[in-house]
Amino acid sequence: MTGSEVPPAFRLAYVPGVTPTKWVRIWNERLPGTPLTLVGVPAADAAALLRDGGADAGFVRLPVDRTDLSAIPLYTETTVVVIPKDHAAFSVEEMSVEDLADEIVLHPLDDTLDWERPPGRPAFERPATTTDAVELVAAGVGLLVVPQSLARLHHRKDLTYRPLTGVPESRIALSWPEEKTTDLVEEFIGIVRGRTVNSTRGRPPTPPQPKAKRAERTSGGGAARKPAAGRTSRGGSGGSGKAAGSKNPKGGAKRGKPRRRP
């Protein structure tokens, strides 16, 4: 790579409540030369961000329009009701929609649940954000129904939450523009789905080595074995190609030192 070249990067969007730490760590282990950039985005704006090219893929809340976006559902969140710690429901383990009938339930404009009709009594005015709604719950104005991850995200010492039954649940999915399913997108899909490095849909596996090379490795780097002591090779012993004491090529005895005349 020359100094003017920029390494490829992968931009991953995520909506509030999603924690992509585990998948980012695996990405960094498998592709250390390809940086991953996180892009936080409000749930209502996630689909538009992907369509406009602001991210290569993203963790979104369903539903999304799948006309041009692909989506892989990952998990469903528990829906909870956020209450003050001095609320009467503090001592119960779980609440139902009927338990909220006489309660003021805040319904922020960025609500992520697909309500047909929100439970409880509506507030005089809808809060602009979930953050504002949490502040109102702490002030004793009303209660708030959200996915559990958002209750954890906006945790306060004076508030707690309880699981709520009989209400919609939020589903998290990995989404990306269908026409931009790049190799890096496929790589991240494999990570999210738990594929190993050698998976056929993940990074290409190491090709098997030829038998000849494997044999060379097992015989000590390919060096030929020396003949055992006392044995002769096909060409003779000692590697000379002739047996000891053999006659010279002309058929006579092997000549020694000349004798001195008396």
Side-chain angles (χ1 to χ4, degrees):
M1 183 190 304
T2 64
S4 60
E5 292 180 346
V6 178
F10 186 74
R11 298 162 301 166
L12 178 65
Y14 68 101
V15 298
V18 174
T19 305
T21 307
K22 176 182 70 174
W23 298 298
V24 173
R25 174 181 54 79
I26 297 174
W27 175 279
N28 291 333
E29 291 173 353
R30 294 189 185 179
L31 292 91
T34 305
L36 186 152
T37 303
L38 290 174
V39 182
V41 59
D45 300 334
L49 179 74
L50 294 174
R51 291 189 178 98
D52 294 342
D56 299 294
F59 292 109
V60 303
R61 292 188 182 274
L62 295 177
V64 295
D65 185 357
R66 301 198 186 188
T67 303
D68 56 347
L69 294 178
S70 295
I72 301 174
L74 300 177
Y75 59 90
T76 301
E77 288 196 72
T78 300
T79 302
V80 301
V81 52
V82 180
I83 61 175
K85 284 190 174 180
D86 59 358
H87 192 275
F90 179 81
S91 59
V92 303
E93 295 183 357
E94 184 179 83
M95 298 180 68
S96 65
V97 174
E98 290 73 18
D99 294 329
L100 301 180
D102 296 327
E103 300 278 1
I104 294 178
V105 178
L106 304 167
H107 189 208
L109 296 176
D110 65 352
D111 182 68
T112 60
L113 297 171
D114 188 19
W115 295 107
E116 182 176 342
R117 181 180 181 278
R121 297 159 49 201
F124 178 75
E125 185 177 359
R126 293 183 64 181
T129 66
T130 299
T131 302
D132 295 335
V134 170
E135 294 291 337
L136 293 174
V137 174
V141 174
L143 308 183
L144 175 65
V145 178
V146 290
Q148 183 171 309
S149 65
L150 291 182
R152 290 175 175 172
L153 179 65
H154 297 285
H155 171 72
R156 291 174 51 121
K157 292 182 178 180
D158 53 348
L159 300 179
T160 188
Y161 59 84
R162 294 290 181 267
L164 185 64
T165 61
V167 292
E169 295 176 319
S170 179
R171 292 187 298 158
I172 301 297
L174 176 66
S175 183
W176 68 95
E178 186 173 356
E179 295 183 356
K180 297 180 180 179
T181 309
T182 64
D183 290 342
L184 292 181
V185 170
E186 287 283 5
E187 192 75 42
F188 193 76
I189 292 171
I191 290 173
V192 170
R193 283 184 161 174
R195 298 189 189 119
T196 62
V197 176
N198 292 332
S199 170
T200 55
R201 292 290 299 276
R203 303 186 72 181
T206 303
Q209 296 182 350
K211 293 182 179 179
K213 291 187 177 181
R214 290 203 298 266
E216 288 178 0
R217 289 190 174 186
T218 57
S219 61
R225 293 184 178 180
K226 294 181 179 180
R231 295 185 180 181
T232 60
S233 62
R234 293 182 179 179
S237 65
S240 64
K242 298 178 182 179
S246 63
K247 296 181 178 180
N248 64 23
K250 294 183 180 181
K254 189 174 183 180
R255 300 176 65 182
K257 294 183 179 180
R259 294 181 180 180
R260 293 183 180 181
R261 293 181 180 181

